[in-house]
Every structure is written in C-alpha cells, then in structure tokens.
Amino acid sequence: MQSVRTSGIIFKLIIASHIIIIGAIVSPLFAVASGSIVIRNSRWTIRVDPARLGLWCKTFGADREITLASPSDTDEPIEGLKVSKNGLSWRIPQRELTVEIRLSEAELSVRFTTPKEQTLEWPATGDDPQAIAVIYPESEGLYIPVRDPFWLEHIGTECRDTEGGVMPFWGFQFERATVAYLLPNDLRNQLCFDTSRGRLSLKMSHRFIGRDGMPAYEVKIVLAKSSPIGPALAYRDWLVRTGRHVSFAEKVRRVPEARKLLGAMHAYLWGDGRTKAAVEELKRVGVDRACLLYDQDPRRGGSLVNAETIEAAKSLGFLIGPYDTFSSVEDPKTANSSTSIYDEELYRTGGVMRQDGKRQQGFAGFGYTLSSEALRRAMRPFIEERVDEHIRSGVNSYFVDADAAGELYDDYDPLHPMTTSADRENRLARLRFIGEQKKLVLGLESAAAWSSPVIHFSHGTFTPKSALLWRLLKNRELFGGFWPPERPLNRFKTIDAPQDFATFTYDPKYRIPLYEAVFHDSVIATDFWGLPLMKFDNLVRVRSLLMLLYNVPSMWHLDRRAIREYGERIKALNDFFAPLHRRVGGKPLTSFEWLTPDRMVQQTQFGEDIEMTANFGERAFGRIPPLCVEAHWFKEARRNLFCPSPR
C-alpha cells in the first residue's frame, strides 16, 4: 500500500503489476515511469498507459482486453498526472504535449494540445489479433477483412488525408465488439494502412501547425453498435448531438424544388440529348422525375442546352442545371475550359501559392489552382455573375465539381493568405450562396461530410475511389476517349470491367452502406458521374442491386439514341425505384445485415417503412432468386420483386 498526500488529503492507491486502479474520485499529482491506470463505467473498462500512449478496453462480460491504440515501443517521461473516476490528464514534457482523456458512457475522448509545431503519430489501430475487419468509409463504405489477400495486395500502405475523404471516421470489427474512431476536427490528419504484420491495420497522424492557431487534436473512440455499420451510426449520432446533421426535410423547407430529387434518376445530357425533343422522349419512356445536368462550352459549338430545353424539362417536372467548377484559373485568351475563365488580373495573381513561392498547377496541368480566398477578395463578383447568368436561362439545379472532394489548400500568397480551414469556410460560403440564397438544387462531386448541411445531392459518393479507378479512366484504348464530342466514347462505350477494379469497387461482400447510414436522410448520393450504369456490361445487375438495396438513384449518360436503346430498362428500373425513393428517400437507413455467412444476401431497412433484401448469390434465398431484390413495404403488407436483366 502506498499513500500520496495532495492538498492535505491522503489518497490510497493500490499498486499491483504496474496497474493503478482508481475507484473513488481521486486527483493525485505524481509521476508514473511504467504502469497503467484503469477507469471504468457500466459499459466498459479502459486501461491507459500514459508513458507509451497505449489504450485497451474490456467490454462488459468479456474476458479479454481489446487493444484500442497500440503503445509505443518506449516509455516517455511524463509529469502532472491527474486522475479522476471519469478520466485523466498528463503532460509529456519532451514533446510539450498535454493529453486529456475523458470517459462518458460508450465514448472515450482523447485530446492533445501543444504550443509546438509537430507531427503526432497516434493512434495505431487494429493491431489486436482479435480484429476481424476494417470498417472503412471510402466513399459509400468498405468492409475489409484484415487478412484478405486481395486487400493486402491492392490497398497496401495507402494513405489518405481525412479532409479529402468523405467521412472522418473509421472502425474495426472485433470478435466481441465493434469500435469506432471519430475525428471532430478532420483537418491536418492522415490515415494510412499498414501491412507490416501480414494483416491490415490503420495508423493516424496529425500535424500541429502554427498558422492554424494550434487547435486541439481529438479522437473519440466509441463502443459502437455491434453491426457492420456501427461506426457510421456512432458518427451520425455525434453529428446529430452537435447540430451538424441537417435533414433532407429541412433542406426542402429552405429550397422547395429539392423535393423533386425524391424518386428521380440522374443523367448527363450529350449531343441531341440536350434538346426539347429528347427530354420529352424521356418523359414518354415513363420517367416522371429526373435530375438532368450538362457540361458545355459555347466556344466549341455543337449541341447546347438552351432556354427552350430548360423550360421543357421544368414543365415535365424535371430538375435541370449546369456543371460548373471554381477549382482552376487559366489565361482567358487560351483557356482549355470555359469554367476556368475569369480575367487577366485573377489569372496573374489568383493562383494558390505554395510554401516554396510557386503557384499550384491547375487541373490536368492547365493554369493554376484557384485560391478560394483570392476569388472571395476579387473586385468583380465572379461567382454571382456566373450563377446569375445560368439563372437567367431558367435552371433550377446546379452542380459544382471539386469544391468538397479532395484537397483543401494552404495559400502562402501575401495578397490572399489562407489556411485549409479558411479555404473550407470560403467554399461553404459560396455553396450556401448558390443553394440557399439563389434557391437552386445543389449537387457536388463526392461531397465530404463537412459540406452535407448545405447540399442536396452528391455524384460519386456511391463509388469507392482507388488507383484502379484512376488507371482505368486514363486507359483510352479500353475505356474510351473524349471523341467524338457529341457522343464521346468514354461516356457511351460499354466494356467489361477488369476483375481487380470490379472487386475493389463493386463486389457486394466488401461493400457496406456507411454513407447512407449517416446521410441517407440528408443527401441524395449516386455513383460517380463518369461511370454510368450501362458502362460495364459485366456489372449492370450487381450495380443495380446495390443501388436498390441502398435506395440510391441510378446514373445515366443520355442522348436520343441512348434513350431509345435503354428505354425499356430505364422504365423498368424507374417503376420499381421511384415509389420506394419517394417514400423513404428522406428517411434514415436504420439497419444493415448479412443474412448468409458468405455475405452475399444482404438486408437494409429505412425508417419504419421499408425493408430491402438483395440476393447477390448464385442460389435462391427463400422467395428471392439469384441477382434479384425484394422490397417489403411494412405498412402496406406487400412485397415487390425486381430482377434486373443482364446487359
């Protein structure tokens, strides 16, 4: 027995096997060279090694600990240790780092602060041999068994900045628990896979940078619901509790036209698909709601969407609007893209300046990456002018590429200095202007979670991104190129998807609806706009089932020939999907389950209304034949079966 005197009160600490067990409220100040501290509540017990930043937990009724954060190899001197029944804090003087841990029900908060610029590598997760699978929010979501040979080969040591990802969390399924790791601040973090032990694990690092104001780095570790979507539900709960989740119903109240997304297919128009006759033909096929978008450059001639087409589309109940982007600025005289044209002054001075004093190259090597701060400070209201020009043509929708997908920038130009945080705020401001002020139904590409309160739809969120995808898109011989401009092969040529790409991107046993679990009742998500439903002959049925299981609209590239060629398929899919999406497109995805050990029969539920069961297998599952999906309407007590036809 050892006693420690603090403020005239004696606290007795039982020290055995280097574990200090804290029962009552205790607040001692002392150093621990080697050892652990235990805190607990009714949900779980947490063991902390302050000197090595290790964390372990034991859930109620379990007989083995789970490693939450692997300890470092060596002890670091610590000082100022303070312990209470709900947490502890201490300082690591060599790093000038303060650590605070707080336990509340099923959530453990670990918070680091420092006045010193540095990179902290923590936590290292998934090293525990009890870990079964990584729950990874790459786009819609992936379930990756930690010893799966395919993923060990294809994801390797990949790293991603969390600000450029879709959602800032990850998780692990263990033998007797599911654990989520949430990042309240997703800036300056990098999450990397590790395969050094012959199994997949994940390591996080965070950069403390002075120009940011040195905000705290916090990781919330949550004992999640025992489900493949448990970490997503934990993240959603945190968003709701902190006022960061905006429902689709609320967005419709702000922008009433957004209700037309419910039950709508999504399509990009090409060639003679941009005419009044084409949109009328789509209506005759049996489509009563559609979100139609177009990317056009008046300098290049060809078919253009005009006011007549726009008015016809709106009269038929469709949404229609342009593709736009504010990501690059080019020389107005020689610009490759009309969306990169501003003026000579912004071209000369508005590019993002790197720390080395050079300008950041623009998309595909054209011009420069446009600083959102330079655009905000520009004398001319470029964004207002561009949006108003489109509004005068009659559009009721608007798609902005790149604003919430990928990298946020530091700008070191003294004319318009900017941090990544300021870049994000600038982008949010212009998105609010387009959506909420101009009342346009607003969509983005693969929109990150931070943009979800201000947008209505996201193209690309449904598609996991990988080097395999980018390599395929660049393979013009296989995938097709940009010619002819009225019907480019990369949009209309159909091919068989390469097997490794198909497995990574669409294999149902590795797919889980993480994004829908968080945002189904907030943002309408679709596949990547560059991969329309009919692109891959060998994936049409699987992709159709995934979309219907997750209650996600289909993506098309259309001209009049495509409408005629695919008309029967469009009608059949629309007849099944549209009533479902109108009913539950604005309601939460509440559960996801595998009904067979091979994970090839899957079930989702939306609110208290509809249950979807998809059979991706080769044998019938009860009433459901192979490659078919059943909708169970609870209140109507009816079931509908849909079996997409092969290509």
Side-chain angles (χ1 to χ4, degrees), residues 132 143 145 173 228 508-510 593-602 615 617 619 621:
I132 296 170
Y143 178 87
Q173 181 188 32
K509 67 177 175 288
Y510 298 126
E593 295 182 65
W594 295 303
L595 303 186
T596 56
D598 63 1
R599 307 197 299 274
M600 294 300 278
V601 180
Q602 304 178 8
N615 181 2
R619 296 188 297 272
F621 180 81

Side-chain angles (χ1 to χ4, degrees), residues 257-270:
E257 285 284 276
R259 67 168 54 91
K260 294 179 180 177
L261 285 170
L262 297 177
M265 60 176 283
H266 291 238
Y268 283 80
L269 304 179
W270 299 85

Side-chain angles (χ1 to χ4, degrees), residues 401-514:
D401 197 0
D403 252 23
E407 191 172 1
L408 296 169
Y409 290 96
D410 284 293
D411 188 350
Y412 292 88
D413 192 319
L415 293 176
H416 39 79
M418 178 179 72
T419 64
T420 55
S421 177
D423 189 14
R424 179 159 65 184
E425 289 306 312
N426 291 340
R427 298 182 191 205
L428 282 169
R430 66 197 186 199
L431 294 173
R432 287 193 187 96
F433 169 77
I434 297 169
E436 297 179 7
Q437 188 170 331
K438 292 299 183 178
K439 303 298 182 185
L440 294 171
V441 180
L442 179 61
L444 298 183
E445 177 200 3
S446 300
W450 54 262
S451 69
S452 65
V454 301
I455 67 168
H456 303 105
F457 65 94
S458 174
H459 287 172
T461 298
F462 195 67
T463 311
K465 312 304 186 301
S466 67
L468 296 169
L469 170 60
W470 308 133
R471 190 156 58 240
L472 179 60
L473 293 177
K474 293 176 181 177
N475 185 344
R476 295 194 179 187
E477 182 178 353
L478 174 63
F479 194 82
F482 293 91
W483 194 264
E486 295 287 280
R487 201 171 210 269
L489 290 178
N490 60 357
R491 305 304 181 222
F492 289 94
K493 178 185 178 183
T494 64
I495 63 172
D496 277 347
Q499 188 56 55
D500 53 358
F501 164 79
T503 300
F504 192 110
T505 315
Y506 293 113
D507 190 326
K509 67 177 175 288
Y510 298 126
R511 293 285 302 257
I512 47 176
L514 299 181

Side-chain angles (χ1 to χ4, degrees), residues 528-601:
F528 174 47
W529 71 277
L531 302 179
L533 178 59
M534 304 307 294
K535 182 66 183 182
F536 303 115
D537 295 334
N538 56 337
L539 293 176
V540 171
R541 289 195 288 178
V542 167
R543 292 176 72 191
S544 297
L545 291 185
L546 282 168
M547 289 185 290
L548 293 169
L549 178 68
Y550 292 8
N551 198 235
V552 164
S554 55
M555 173 63 69
W556 301 80
H557 286 175
L558 296 178
D559 59 5
R560 297 190 71 182
R561 173 180 160 188
I563 294 171
R564 290 191 296 270
E565 183 177 350
Y566 302 133
E568 290 185 7
R569 183 184 294 272
I570 290 172
K571 175 175 171 48
L573 184 58
N574 185 72
D575 287 349
F576 186 79
F577 170 77
L580 290 166
H581 200 246
R582 286 196 185 205
R583 170 68 71 84
V584 298
K587 294 190 176 181
L589 185 154
T590 52
S591 72
F592 170 81
E593 295 182 65
W594 295 303
L595 303 186
T596 56
D598 63 1
R599 307 197 299 274
M600 294 300 278
V601 180

Side-chain angles (χ1 to χ4, degrees), residues 219-239:
V219 180
K220 291 184 179 293
I221 305 174
V222 181
L223 184 61
K225 180 180 178 181
S226 182
S227 162
I229 62 170
L233 295 175
Y235 178 59
R236 173 191 167 87
D237 179 66
W238 178 78
L239 289 176

Side-chain angles (χ1 to χ4, degrees), residues 7 29 49 56 63-64 105 110 129 169 195 222 237 246 263 278 292 314 364 368 440 457 491 524 552 600 631:
S7 302
L29 280 169
D49 182 343
W56 299 262
D63 56 0
R64 296 171 62 190
E105 298 299 328
V110 184
F169 72 85
T195 60
V222 181
D237 179 66
V246 179
L292 305 177
K314 292 197 302 181
Y368 305 115
L440 294 171
F457 65 94
R491 305 304 181 222
I524 309 297
V552 164
M600 294 300 278

